[in-house]
Amino acid sequence: MSTTRATADPLAALGSLPGVAESVESVRKAVDRVYGHRVMRRRSNAVTSEAALRGARGSAALSGADWALEEVRRRSDFGAGDARVVGAALRLTAEAGQLLSIWRQSPLRVLARLHLVAAATGDDEVGRPRRAGEVVDEPLIELPLPDADEVSGRLDGLSELIIAGSSAPALVTAAVVHGELLALRPFTSHNGLIARAAERIVLIGSGLDPKSVCPAEVGHAELGRASYAAALSGYVSGTPDGMAAWIKHCGRAVELGVRESTAVCEALQRGAA
């Protein structure tokens, strides 16, 4: 992603890419529909809690720990193997809502905190961008890995964009944050989980999904890892078509998350959940 200052609001320009405006409008209508559900007026906290659980399950699945929802709900031990990935996803989902006020002032501080929460260790490399020569554990993303200097510069550029603010739709900003973090893989571990948690923070903090009931992670998982990787390749290409494809992919993921929470609302209405 280019963060050149030649364009005062580079994120806003992405909103005019082919099909992006239509995706933004489709997402807005979908979100409005679930927020208008009668259950949201009385039991929004229950919907939020269920969306968080399902979002964490979806994010963990994309990072290789594809557990059934009821297994995630039942388990309390997340200390080994795939369980560590699921535990990290659950912790990040819980933490994201606590960092909204910090994000717009210090996004890099938030990202460091997310890595600390995900890793849950006191290792030296935790909570800071990786340094030259450090190995990145992110086997499901096979794109070329930018070097540490490039990571540092692009993280600074992303931070400047977020702090400056943008007139871009929330979907566009969330997709860029998500895509840039996946492309950079700035930490030695848990980059996918962190990228999806950052997307969640943008969607909530922007006001598009203030109650966090539209878990994009559910949609990303439903669309599948192959589709996710292909769309990310489009983002990394930097071409207008590639960028548009990634943003629209993220939009579809949000809509599928909306569909999931609508089903939760219907179940609560029937007394089945």
Side-chain angles (χ1 to χ4, degrees):
M1 182 191 68
S2 172
T3 57
T4 177
R5 290 175 175 80
T7 303
D9 190 354
L11 296 183
L14 299 177
S16 63
L17 292 175
V20 170
E22 292 82 356
S23 181
V24 167
E25 181 63 12
S26 181
V27 166
R28 186 191 64 78
K29 288 180 178 178
V31 172
D32 285 349
R33 283 195 298 271
V34 73
Y35 272 81
H37 197 288
R38 66 173 61 186
V39 167
M40 287 293 294
R41 294 195 294 270
R42 298 178 287 109
R43 301 189 64 185
S44 64
N45 287 343
V47 181
T48 295
S49 295
E50 190 65 19
L53 185 71
R54 295 177 186 222
R57 192 218 72 82
S59 192
L62 284 169
S63 286
D66 192 359
W67 287 16
L69 179 64
E70 290 310 312
E71 180 69 5
V72 179
R73 198 189 306 278
R74 180 186 67 81
R75 286 283 290 271
S76 58
D77 176 14
F78 298 101
D82 284 354
R84 296 186 65 183
V85 177
V86 177
L90 288 166
R91 291 192 300 273
L92 285 174
T93 300
E95 187 75 10
Q98 310 302 314
L99 299 172
L100 298 173
S101 62
I102 305 171
W103 175 254
R104 283 293 301 273
Q105 285 74 43
S106 185
L108 297 185
R109 180 180 164 196
V110 169
L111 293 175
R113 174 62 184 169
L114 291 175
H115 191 228
L116 280 167
V117 169
T121 72
D123 296 341
D124 172 67
E125 70 270 15
V126 172
R128 60 160 175 80
R130 56 185 168 85
R131 296 170 183 158
E134 290 183 329
V135 176
V136 175
D137 180 15
E138 200 67 48
L140 299 177
I141 300 175
E142 299 179 351
L143 295 167
L145 190 68
D147 65 30
D149 287 341
E150 182 179 350
V151 168
S152 178
R154 287 173 62 174
L155 279 178
D156 285 344
L158 182 63
S159 177
E160 289 172 7
L161 287 177
I162 294 166
I163 292 169
S166 173
S167 62
L171 172 64
V172 171
T173 303
V176 167
V177 168
H178 184 171
E180 190 71 355
L181 292 174
L182 279 178
L184 294 178
R185 282 148 288 165
F187 301 105
T188 56
S189 63
H190 299 96
N191 290 288
L193 295 177
I194 290 166
R196 292 183 288 275
E199 179 185 48
R200 171 183 285 266
I201 287 170
V202 174
L203 293 172
I204 299 169
S206 67
L208 177 65
D209 181 23
K211 294 183 182 294
S212 191
V213 297
C214 307
E217 305 96 325
V218 168
H220 287 302
E222 186 172 337
L223 290 167
R225 282 183 281 179
S227 178
Y228 189 65
L232 178 62
S233 294
Y235 174 86
V236 171
S237 76
T239 65
D241 286 347
M243 294 290 291
W246 170 250
I247 295 168
K248 290 186 287 185
H249 181 92
C250 290
R252 181 60 181 150
V254 174
E255 291 186 67
L256 290 171
V258 168
R259 187 179 71 179
E260 186 87 354
S261 285
T262 300
V264 170
C265 287
E266 295 295 330
L268 288 168
Q269 187 168 276
R270 294 192 305 269

